[in-house]
C-alpha cells in the first residue's frame, strides 16, 4: 500500500435497533417453517422491525447515539456516508436526511450502495478521506430497513432479515500503529442474477405489471449465494491475513457480516480463529445488511470486550457480488 499521510482510526460507535421483535414463532404462523430449521440453518432467533419511517430513522438514531456517547456536537462532522440498499427514496440521499435530522450544518455526504458489503466499502471510503488529510471527522453509517423489501410470503428469505442502523466516527492519527492497516475489496457483477431486487430502478420502473410480478422485493437463490459467500468471505479474509503476516492467534476479533452462522463458522475456521473470538449478533437481529458489522463493533466495544491494540478483521459478502476484508488495530481505551 502507498505511504499514507495519516492513519484513520475509529473514535466512536453508535447503534439503534427498533423495539418491535419478530421471533421465529412469528414466522411459524405466517409461512411453512419452524424454529428449529431457522436456528440450525441460520443461527437466527429473532429480528427487529421498524414500523414507522424509513431507513433514515435507523441511521439518524444511530448517529445521535454516537454523538451522545461522545458528548460531541453534530456541527463538528465533515462528512456523512450512509451505506444502504433501502434508502428512504432514490433521491435525495439518506445522508442528506440524516444531515438535517442531526443538524450537521458543516457536512457533505452521500449514500453508498454495496448491499451486505456496504459498511465495509463505506468504511474504506471514509478512511481514505481521513488518510488524505482533507477531512477530520467522517461519520460512516450502515443502515437498512430490510423489512421494507422482504417478501413475507417467501419462506426461503423472509426469515433472514431485520432492521437496524449503526455508525462509527473516523478521525486521523499520526500514529501508524493504530487504525485501518489494509483492505482487500472486490466486486463481481456476474452475481447479479442470484441476489437482487429487479423492480423500481431504471431498467424496470414501477408499473402495475412490476407490482403484479412481485419485482419490488428481495430475490435470492440462497443455496447459490451460500456457496460463493462461504468461499468468498473465507478466502479474502485468509488472503488479507497472509498479506499482513497474521495468524489466527494474532487476531483479537473477526467481525463478519451476519448473514448465516454457518458462513461465519466456515470463515473463522479457514482463518484459524476460535469461535470465541468471532463477534456475533445474528441471533438477536438477523441479517441487517449494512448494519451488521458496525452494530457488532458497537455492542462488543460497549460491553468492554474490545481493547486498545486489538487486531481486528472485518469481513463481508453480499449482492453484486461484493465482498472483502479489512484489517484494523483498535485505538479506543
Ligand atoms: O447477506 C447477503 C448474502 N446472503 C447470504 O449469504 C445468504 C446465503 N444463503 C443462506 O444463508 C442459506 O442458503 C439459506 C439460509 C438461505 C438457506 O439454507 P440452505 O441450507 O441453503 O437451505 P436450502 O435453500 O438448500 O433449503 C433446504 C431445504 C429445502 O427443502 P427441500 O428442497 O430439501 O425439501 C427448502 O425448501 O429447506 C427448505 N426451506 C425451509 N424449510 C423450513 C427453505 N427455507 C425454509 C424455511 N423453513 N424457512
Amino acid at each position: 500500500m502507498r505511504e499514507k499521510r495519516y492513519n484513520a482510526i475509529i473514535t466512536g460507535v453508535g447503534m439503534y435497533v427498533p423495539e418491535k421483535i419478530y421471533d421465529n414463532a412469528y414466522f411459524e404462523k405466517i409461512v411453512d417453517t419452524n424454529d428449529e430449521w431457522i436456528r440450525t440453518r441460520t443461527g437466527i432467533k429473532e429480528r427487529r422491525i421498524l414500523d414507522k419511517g424509513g431507513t433514515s430513522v435507523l441511521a439518524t438514531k444511530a448517529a445521535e447515539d454516537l454523538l451522545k456517547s461522545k458528548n460531541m456536537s453534530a456541527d463538528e462532522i465533515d462528512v456523512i456516508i450512509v451505506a444502504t440498499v433501502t434508502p428512504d427514496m432514490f433521491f435525495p440521499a439518506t445522508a442528506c436526511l440524516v444531515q438535517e435530522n442531526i443538524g450537521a450544518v458543516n457536512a457533505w455526504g452521500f449514500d453508498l450502495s454495496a448491499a451486505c458489503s456496504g459498511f465495509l466499502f463505506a468504511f474504506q471510503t471514509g478512511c481514505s478521506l481521513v488518510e488524505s488529510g482533507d477531512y477530520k471527522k467522517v461519520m460512516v453509517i450502515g443502515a437498512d430497513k430490510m423489512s421494507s423489501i422482504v417478501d413475507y410470503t417467501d419462506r426461503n428469505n423472509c426469515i433472514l432479515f431485520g432492521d437496524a442502523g449503526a455508525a462509527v466516527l473516523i478521525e486521523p492519527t499520526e500514529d501508524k500503529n493504530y487504525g485501518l492497516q489494509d483492505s482487500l475489496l472486490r466486486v463481481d457483477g456476474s452475481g447479479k442474477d442470484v441476489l437482487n431486487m429487479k423492480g423500481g430502478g431504471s431498467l424496470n420502473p414501477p408499473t402495475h405489471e412490476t407490482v403484479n410480478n412481485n419485482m419490488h422485493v428481495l430475490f435470492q437463490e440462497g443455496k447459490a449465494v451460500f456457496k460463493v459467500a462461504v468461499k468468498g468471505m473465507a478466502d479474502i479474509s485468509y488472503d488479507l491475513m497472509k498479506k499482513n503476516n497474521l495468524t489466527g492467534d494474532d487476531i483479537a476479533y473477526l467481525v463478519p457480516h451476519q448473514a448465516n452462522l454457518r458462513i461465519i463458522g466456515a470463515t473463522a475456521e479457514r482463518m484459524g480463529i476460535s469461535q470465541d473470538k468471532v463477534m456475533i449478533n445474528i441471533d438477536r437481529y438477523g441479517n441487517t445488511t449494512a448494519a451488521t458489522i458496525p452494530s457488532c463493533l458497537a455492542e462488543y466495544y460497549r460491553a468492554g470486550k474490545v481493547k486498545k491494540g486489538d487486531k481486528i478483521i472485518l469481513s463481508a459478502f453480499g449482492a453484486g457480488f461484493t465482498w472483502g476484508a479489512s484489517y484494523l488495530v483498535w485505538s479506543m481505551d
Side-chain angles (χ1 to χ4, degrees):
M1 252 193 171
R2 73 187 153 74
E3 193 56 35
K4 293 178 285 194
R5 192 155 158 206
Y6 298 102
N7 263 26
I9 52 173
I10 293 177
T11 58
V13 293
M15 71 176 284
Y16 173 74
V17 291
E19 276 170 25
K20 183 172 174 178
I21 292 175
Y22 280 176
D23 59 12
N24 291 346
Y26 171 83
F27 289 92
E28 289 179 349
K29 284 182 236 143
I30 63 167
V31 289
D32 180 14
T33 191
N34 59 78
D35 174 54
E36 208 253 329
W37 191 96
I38 300 172
R39 270 190 294 104
T40 54
R41 294 292 181 119
T42 71
I44 302 169
K45 293 179 186 149
E46 56 186 46
R47 332 87 193 111
R48 301 301 182 101
I49 303 295
L50 181 70
D51 267 338
K52 284 203 186 102
T55 292
S56 65
V57 172
L58 303 164
T60 298
K61 286 182 185 285
E64 286 170 346
D65 182 48
L66 188 157
L67 292 172
K68 195 172 162 212
S69 71
K70 282 192 68 74
N71 197 16
M72 178 183 151
S73 169
D75 60 12
E76 292 179 42
I77 300 168
D78 299 317
V79 187
I80 300 168
I81 307 174
V82 178
T84 186
V85 286
T86 53
D88 282 33
M89 296 168 267
F90 267 175
F91 61 89
T94 310
C96 301
L97 310 179
V98 174
Q99 178 280 330
E100 187 194 18
N101 290 343
I102 64 175
V105 290
N106 296 309
W108 64 283
F110 55 93
D111 288 4
L112 185 149
S113 169
C116 294
S117 307
F119 178 79
L120 206 59
F121 288 15
F123 179 64
Q124 174 66 58
T125 307
C127 286
S128 296
L129 291 172
V130 164
E131 286 164 0
S132 71
D134 289 341
Y135 299 98
K136 291 200 162 49
K137 286 187 166 59
V138 177
M139 188 181 270
V140 175
I141 305 171
D144 273 297
K145 182 178 176 174
M146 294 306 290
S147 62
S148 67
I149 58 166
V150 164
D151 175 358
Y152 284 97
T153 64
D154 170 11
R155 75 165 181 172
N156 296 291
N157 290 308
C158 69
I159 49 115
L160 298 173
F161 297 95
D163 303 337
V168 300
L169 186 71
I170 305 171
E171 295 186 69
T173 177
E174 287 183 6
D175 188 341
K176 299 290 167 67
N177 294 314
Y178 293 104
L180 180 65
Q181 304 290 316
D182 199 6
S183 294
L184 289 172
L185 306 171
R186 300 281 184 270
V187 299
D188 178 358
S190 69
K192 64 187 179 302
D193 296 330
V194 290
L195 181 47
N196 57 46
M197 190 171 88
K198 295 178 180 65
S202 53
L203 179 62
N204 300 301
T207 61
H208 290 293
E209 199 188 341
T210 62
V211 172
N212 291 340
N213 290 334
N214 208 22
M215 290 165 74
H216 298 277
V217 295
L218 176 145
F219 168 85
Q220 174 171 245
E221 281 179 33
K223 216 181 203 43
V225 178
F226 186 89
K227 277 188 199 149
V228 271
V230 165
K231 188 164 163 35
M233 230 165 98
D235 282 356
I236 208 151
S237 306
Y238 181 77
D239 290 349
L240 185 66
M241 277 175 54
K242 286 276 274 189
K243 190 173 165 225
N244 289 276
N245 299 314
L246 297 166
T247 69
D249 291 340
D250 298 319
I251 305 299
Y253 282 107
L254 166 66
V255 193
H257 168 56
Q258 313 274 307
N260 188 314
L261 205 52
R262 290 182 290 145
I263 300 175
I264 294 171
T267 303
E269 197 177 311
R270 175 97 155 91
M271 295 168 74
I273 290 178
S274 55
Q275 297 294 332
D276 58 311
K277 296 201 290 184
V278 182
M279 291 193 190
I280 301 286
N281 65 17
I282 188 173
D283 52 331
R284 287 170 293 130
Y285 306 136
N287 183 348
T288 58
T289 303
T292 58
I293 289 175
S295 62
C296 277
L297 285 173
E299 288 192 325
Y300 276 70
Y301 174 65
R302 286 177 172 178
K305 293 178 179 166
V306 190
K307 302 269 178 293
K308 188 172 180 173
D310 276 355
K311 294 185 168 77
I312 294 176
I313 304 269
L314 316 179
S315 180
F317 190 95
F321 295 125
T322 57
W323 73 106
S326 291
Y327 162 43
L328 61 103
V329 181
W330 197 255
S331 58
M332 285 195 285
D333 286 318

